[in-house]
Amino acid sequence: MARGVNIANAGLDSGRLSGSFLGFPLEGFGFFTSLLLALSSGFFTFFLVTALSIFGLLIWNQVLHHSVNYANAYLFFGFPAAVAVWTIAFAVFGTLWIRARIHAQ
């Protein structure tokens, strides 16, 4: 009978634990990879939050008979969410990159 993969040993790489979050590895990124991941996470957040807020404003305007400008979705929802995600992502991926540079030496 075949045994399954032991989850406790799945992250071992030559005696060293490699972290992961939801199956996404958290080490081994170069500078440009870290930069690209941070930028893309902010852009994805901007477009997702903007789309959801436009639909929310659509419902708000139609159901409650208001006339809120849809451009507010970009300014008050999408942009602040993207800036918040960029701040967190640059801190996280920058820390991971610096930690990888320190451990590589």
Side-chain angles (χ1 to χ4, degrees):
M1 185 167 160
R3 290 186 174 184
V5 175
N6 187 355
I7 295 175
N9 294 329
L12 291 177
D13 183 32
S14 57
R16 196 175 75 187
L17 278 175
S18 63
S20 66
F21 179 71
L22 298 174
F24 184 73
L26 292 179
E27 67 178 49
F29 297 129
F31 176 74
F32 291 109
T33 306
S34 298
L35 185 65
L36 181 65
L37 285 169
L39 287 173
S40 63
S41 63
F43 282 118
F44 177 74
T45 301
F46 173 77
F47 290 117
L48 180 67
V49 170
T50 299
L52 292 175
S53 61
I54 286 172
F55 285 119
L57 286 176
L58 174 69
I59 293 169
W60 178 267
N61 285 340
Q62 294 298 319
V63 172
L64 299 175
H65 306 292
H66 291 281
S67 60
V68 178
N69 188 1
Y70 291 108
N72 291 341
Y74 299 99
L75 184 62
F76 297 122
F77 297 106
F79 183 68
V83 169
V85 168
W86 276 327
T87 303
I88 294 168
F90 281 125
V92 168
F93 287 113
T95 302
L96 291 173
W97 178 70
I98 290 170
R99 187 184 307 168
R101 297 292 295 167
I102 291 171
H103 289 297
Q105 294 175 354

